[in-house]
Amino acid sequence: MDHTAHEPEKRPHGAASWGTAVKATLHCLTGCAIGEILGMVIGTALGWGNVPTMVLAIGLAFLFGYSFTLFAVLRSGLGLKAAIRIALAADTVSIAVMELVDNAIIALTPGAMDAHLSDGLFWSALLGGFAVAFLITTPLNKWLIGRGRGHAVVHAHH
């Protein structure tokens, strides 16, 4: 008698496609970029120093990153509490790595922390940081999704 039909399907490690990982990373990057740019604009417009501006930008990056997933999951009919848990599980690692990489690049780029919104250095450091963060976070997301973590928890609710 064949019992394999009754056993749960075993997913091989690393089974996620690169396309899925890229989509998940772009989704995360979009929220992070909106939040981070908005935070930088607000902090700069208010004349805040580098540290409070970065704290605001990182906080807004997490807020916007989570909100994109949260709204998508809520549209599927899930309750708010469950949707929040899914958004946190899906995006925390991805956003944290993305923000760590991006902000490290900005902090390590000479003059970028003191550049103004009208300076090319500000935008090149920020966009360069996003590009490097994308390149580092995509393989991480592929690994997480392949293990049923990260954005994999969202796909059941789309």
Side-chain angles (χ1 to χ4, degrees):
M1 178 181 224
D2 183 13
H3 293 284
T4 57
H6 302 290
E7 294 176 12
E9 181 182 339
K10 296 200 175 155
R11 174 185 235 165
H13 288 293
S17 73
W18 281 105
T20 300
V22 166
K23 286 179 187 174
T25 307
L26 286 173
H27 179 267
C28 185
L29 179 63
T30 302
C32 287
I34 290 169
E36 192 160 331
I37 291 169
L38 183 60
M40 296 285 191
V41 169
I42 291 169
T44 301
L46 294 175
W48 290 1
N50 292 334
V51 173
T53 298
M54 282 186 95
V55 169
L56 176 64
I58 292 167
L60 289 175
F62 272 91
L63 178 70
F64 277 89
Y66 286 139
S67 68
F68 278 23
T69 299
L70 181 65
F71 292 131
V73 174
L74 284 172
R75 279 194 310 266
S76 75
L78 210 60
L80 181 61
K81 189 174 180 179
I84 289 171
R85 280 195 305 261
I86 288 171
L88 292 173
D91 292 333
T92 299
V93 173
S94 182
I95 294 171
V97 169
M98 200 166 287
E99 286 302 299
L100 177 69
V101 171
D102 179 52
N103 284 285
I105 288 172
I106 292 168
L108 295 173
T109 300
M113 293 295 291
D114 297 319
H116 296 281
L117 296 175
S118 59
D119 294 338
L121 178 59
F122 169 83
W123 292 102
S124 63
L126 184 64
L127 297 176
F130 287 148
V132 173
F134 175 81
L135 293 174
I136 290 173
T137 309
T138 299
L140 171 66
N141 280 332
K142 182 180 185 310
W143 183 82
L144 288 169
I145 294 166
R147 281 150 186 77
R149 306 265 189 260
H151 266 263
V153 300
V154 174
H155 293 292
H157 303 285
H158 272 248

